[in-house]
Amino acid sequence: MPVEKIEMTTRVFEGGRAFGSAGPFEELLGKVQVAIDPDDVANSGITDLGLVRRDSDGAVRFSSNWKAVRPIDQSLWNRRLFLDLPNRGGLRLWRNTNREGPPPLLSGEDAVADGWVLGQGYAVVSCGWQHDVPDKEGALRATLPLVEVGGAPLVGFVLSHLEPMQATAVMPLGHVGHRPYPPHDLEEAEATLRVRRSAKADWVTIPRSRWRFGKPDADGVFIAGGEFITLDDGFKPGCAYELGYTGEGAVPTGLGLLGVRDILSFFRYSLSEGENPFCGGVEHILAFGGSQPGAVLRCMEDLGLFRDALGRPVIDGAIVHGAGIGKSEANWRFGQPSVFAPRSVANAGPFSEALQRQPDTGETGSILHENPSSAAKMIYSITAPDYRELFGPLCHTELDGSLDLQMPENVRIYYMASAPHLRAAFDDKSLSVIASQPVDTIDISIFLRAAIINLDQWVSGGPACPPSRHPTVRAGTLISVDRAEARIAAATGQAAPPCATLGRLDFGPHTASRIVDNMPIVRSEYAMLACDVDDDGNDIDGLRHPEIVAPLATYLPWNIAKASDEVCPHGLVLIGSATPFGIDRPLSAADRRPPISERYATRTAYLDAIRAATRALVADRLVLADDEDLVVEMAARRYDEYTGAKSSR
């Protein structure tokens, strides 16, 4: 097996508290060493693998750290592993699936809280795959070998996307603090920094004399270096910056994905009782990727890494949440996988083979797999900001927006109408220092919990997941962004900030080989589509939360930065915003939305509407019956907050 060595320590998890009927858990932490045969066709899709120095036996070796939690009483384990693919070295499964509220978004934490997934009996495993994760305690990363040419580290073009969240003269060279690729020459004259001051503005090149690699020290003395960039006029929030320079230190960024494949294969198939903590017990492996790692799961599927080098199933089903259309910079030369910028190589195409199909002509049947029943079961959950900023509609339409695409039998797409990219806490105030509008806190966890149960049943031979739910061209619920934003403005009086566009991106003659030679060139633009909205400005199609069916506010897929009149920096725009209705009258003369008092005669009438909408979703298996009272309770809290009413429970 590719796994040569696995280190492991064990400790009691969360003080030994019990999680549901699965009881107390233990936590396993360790490191794994993997040996890859670069000549094996199963590994042939990894960019630059052939340029890595081999050991004397012809193998390429690397390591990753990993951790897992499992029931102490193995008889209470449901025989499933749940892969929580790390996001920038951290985990996201708890935040998005717990019944309890998550920690503040800006905390970066993924608190265990009630551990709903554990309470179902799952063992959860995570494995480092990303090489450039920032140095922080507990981060999961892969330690990958260098790409070399002639015995020296490869030197080549690096494209970086800089997104300031506040005014500053200095920014990290690596994306949001990740480990950067050092410049080959700190004085490189051809290095290019350019800025776009809004999503619709032209790119402007900043003279080389106005910026430099490095930063001032505590005494204000400039120190040249390869980890920071300093701009004389300062970086402005709301602006996007692109930096192109000659760097060194490339690694085969996709190699870490082989590590994920092989450690899962080891856990599933190795019969070495002394080394494999799950020896002989794994029946199925499910995976969750929220945002960035969702795109990485898509890369893994495209590369055939849901099966191991022997062709055996590794991942049986996956939930790809909040990834939009992109595929991640993982597996690109000098790739920076944390980047989600519109002009990133992640959006260079061809897009995921699991998503981009031929047009739906009304005929039935799969067009991806010859035997879709043997393929991994895939759930793609897409939210409103993913539609707007990550070009989500192109997951299920032609690139010109003219036709819907036909999905195979093993794929489901759920559009979470008017919902945020990642789950925010109901009372999360941490973003108020950056965002000028209240945050969208529609609770997407109710859909993800149901998706987990449905996916598990599906891969186990039970009923298939409920049919996809998303806007379509055919139904007339998928319309142009301009038209949707005009309808929102007519309802709320709020004009939408400019949004980015996506087109066919050309990075030079080696784009098809996942190598960047120049700054992005847009050859043609794709359609910009959005879900149609109702008279309140809320989405009319897709998986509609009860609080969208019976709303108290308009939930929009953007938020405005306090330091700018532009949309929040790309990573934060995905939070979305909420504009509550007036209580007894509209908020302004431009607000055409009826007030709350005209919609619901009493608090009880409102909650009755919420319960009816919830029960309809439960009947369709899109929300768990156990969550009905929770949905009503959360809606009651929101009613009290938005109306100032005193609870009358």
Side-chain angles (χ1 to χ4, degrees):
M1 278 190 140
V3 171
E4 289 189 320
K5 181 181 179 182
I6 188 162
E7 302 172 0
M8 179 175 60
T9 59
T10 304
R11 64 190 184 192
V12 174
F13 184 62
E14 291 283 306
R17 68 183 175 104
F19 292 90
S21 59
F25 277 64
E26 59 184 356
E27 184 175 30
L28 317 175
L29 303 120
K31 187 176 181 180
V32 61
Q33 178 174 298
V34 180
I36 295 298
D37 178 1
D39 298 324
D40 190 328
V41 66
N43 306 324
S44 61
I46 303 303
T47 302
D48 288 334
L49 184 56
L51 297 179
V52 176
R53 184 178 301 178
R54 304 184 185 199
D55 291 335
S56 58
D57 60 356
V60 169
R61 288 177 169 82
F62 65 98
S63 64
S64 297
N65 55 344
W66 65 277
K67 62 183 178 181
V69 291
R70 67 177 182 181
I72 293 176
D73 183 346
Q74 292 291 284
S75 68
L76 302 178
W77 176 33
N78 66 5
R79 305 302 172 188
R80 277 99 169 107
L81 290 187
F82 212 119
L83 171 67
D84 184 1
L85 195 65
N87 184 316
R88 299 169 175 86
L91 307 182
R92 288 294 179 268
L93 184 62
W94 316 121
R95 164 176 287 278
N96 289 292
T97 59
N98 283 339
R99 298 184 86 244
E100 293 181 18
L105 276 167
L106 288 187
S107 71
E109 298 176 4
D110 187 31
V112 176
D114 59 287
W116 176 86
V117 168
L118 302 184
Q120 309 308 303
Y122 292 100
V124 177
V125 61
S126 299
C127 178
W129 59 271
Q130 188 177 348
H131 73 285
D132 60 346
V133 171
D135 292 318
K136 58 182 180 181
E137 185 178 357
L140 296 172
R141 69 164 54 87
T143 302
L144 306 180
L146 287 173
V147 175
E148 298 181 346
V149 175
L154 181 143
V155 173
F157 184 84
V158 178
L159 173 63
S160 291
H161 302 269
L162 309 177
E163 299 170 324
M165 296 184 184
Q166 58 188 3
T168 179
V170 179
M171 289 200 69
L173 194 59
H175 186 256
V176 292
H178 284 62
R179 297 178 178 183
Y181 296 106
H184 182 64
D185 177 5
L186 296 178
E187 303 297 328
E188 181 187 4
E190 291 76 20
T192 301
L193 177 66
R194 60 190 189 186
V195 60
R196 184 168 66 177
R197 304 195 181 281
S198 77
K200 302 299 183 184
D202 293 331
W203 288 90
V204 177
T205 299
I206 299 173
R208 183 66 175 88
S209 60
R210 288 172 48 198
W211 65 272
R212 57 204 59 84
F213 293 112
K215 69 172 184 175
D217 64 12
D219 297 321
V221 178
F222 183 80
I223 306 296
E227 295 187 0
F228 296 91
I229 178 174
T230 298
L231 177 60
D232 289 345
D233 297 337
F235 295 94
K236 307 291 193 301
C239 297
Y241 297 83
E242 290 180 345
L243 172 66
Y245 65 98
T246 303
E248 60 184 39
V251 300
T253 53
L255 190 57
L257 307 185
L258 298 187
V260 175
R261 176 198 68 183
D262 290 333
I263 192 172
L264 293 178
S265 175
F266 177 82
F267 287 154
R268 185 163 187 169
Y269 297 112
S270 172
L271 297 179
S272 176
E273 292 188 10
E275 297 180 339
N276 182 3
F278 303 102
C279 181
V282 179
E283 293 180 357
H284 293 292
I285 298 180
L286 308 179
F288 175 81
S291 191
Q292 175 221 24
V296 175
L297 282 176
R298 184 178 300 153
C299 289
M300 290 184 64
E301 187 191 20
D302 287 352
L303 291 167
L305 303 185
F306 281 14
R307 291 180 176 270
D308 65 15
L310 298 178
R312 299 173 297 187
V314 172
I315 294 175
D316 301 298
I319 298 174
V320 173
H321 174 72
I325 193 60
K327 288 174 64 175
S328 166
E329 291 196 4
N331 206 34
W332 279 74
R333 179 176 291 180
F334 287 111
Q336 299 174 75
S338 70
V339 173
F340 251 140
R343 290 156 60 91
S344 160
V345 296
N347 292 320
F351 299 120
S352 173
E353 297 300 328
L355 291 178
Q356 285 294 318
R357 319 289 189 213
Q358 63 190 22
D360 182 356
T361 60
E363 298 177 0
T364 60
S366 168
I367 58 177
L368 174 64
H369 303 285
E370 293 181 3
N371 182 11
S373 64
S374 67
K377 308 297 190 286
M378 302 296 298
I379 294 177
Y380 296 92
S381 56
I382 311 172
T383 68
D386 307 332
Y387 248 39
R388 187 177 196 265
E389 299 295 327
L390 303 180
F391 319 107
L394 298 180
C395 292
H396 53 80
T397 70
E398 280 282 11
L399 296 177
D400 64 2
S402 61
L403 292 169
D404 301 311
L405 298 176
Q406 179 181 327
M407 295 296 124
E409 296 173 11
N410 63 305
V411 172
R412 296 290 187 271
I413 296 180
Y414 301 119
Y415 173 62
M416 297 181 180
S418 299
H421 172 69
L422 288 177
R423 186 185 181 205
F426 182 88
D427 55 354
D428 186 355
K429 308 300 183 185
S430 66
L431 290 169
S432 63
V433 298
I434 296 173
S436 63
Q437 298 169 298
V439 171
D440 181 355
T441 57
I442 290 293
D443 190 0
I444 60 176
S445 72
I446 63 170
F447 298 132
L448 291 173
R449 286 193 291 274
I452 287 173
I453 298 301
N454 289 333
L455 180 64
D456 194 337
Q457 293 176 349
W458 198 11
V459 303
S460 303
C465 279
S468 297
R469 284 199 184 187
H470 57 78
T472 63
V473 176
R474 179 181 297 170
T477 54
L478 195 60
I479 61 176
S480 72
V481 166
D482 290 344
R483 183 180 168 197
E485 291 179 349
R487 288 176 58 80
I488 291 171
T492 66
Q494 294 189 46
C499 67
T501 59
L502 181 65
R504 186 171 67 86
L505 299 173
D506 182 353
F507 294 96
H510 302 103
T511 300
S513 300
R514 297 182 290 275
I515 297 171
V516 179
D517 295 294
N518 50 247
M519 305 289 266
I521 300 170
V522 180
R523 296 299 185 189
S524 60
E525 289 198 348
Y526 302 142
M528 294 299 296
L529 303 172
C531 184
D532 197 2
V533 298
D534 59 23
D535 290 341
D536 295 324
N538 287 319
D539 292 333
I540 65 171
D541 202 353
L543 196 49
R544 301 176 76 220
H545 192 282
E547 291 189 48
I548 301 301
V549 177
L552 296 172
T554 300
Y555 297 93
L556 300 175
W558 64 74
N559 211 308
I560 305 296
K562 273 191 173 178
S564 168
D565 59 358
E566 292 291 332
V567 72
C568 282
H570 195 70
L572 288 177
V573 66
L574 300 174
I575 59 176
S577 62
T579 304
F581 303 147
I583 299 175
D584 295 312
R585 56 182 176 272
L587 298 178
S588 67
D591 183 4
R592 299 183 181 179
R593 303 169 302 160
I596 294 173
S597 61
E598 291 183 13
R599 297 166 183 266
Y600 314 106
T602 63
R603 183 178 186 269
T604 299
Y606 167 68
L607 296 181
D608 286 344
I610 290 291
R611 190 174 294 278
T614 305
R615 287 178 173 173
L617 290 167
V618 170
D620 290 337
R621 295 193 299 126
L622 295 167
V623 170
L624 301 177
D626 289 346
D627 280 343
E628 179 183 327
D629 288 342
L630 178 64
V631 174
V632 175
E633 177 185 340
M634 291 298 294
R637 286 184 61 190
R638 200 178 307 276
Y639 184 93
D640 294 343
E641 177 183 355
Y642 284 1
T643 65
K646 294 182 179 180
S647 299
S648 55
R649 297 180 179 87

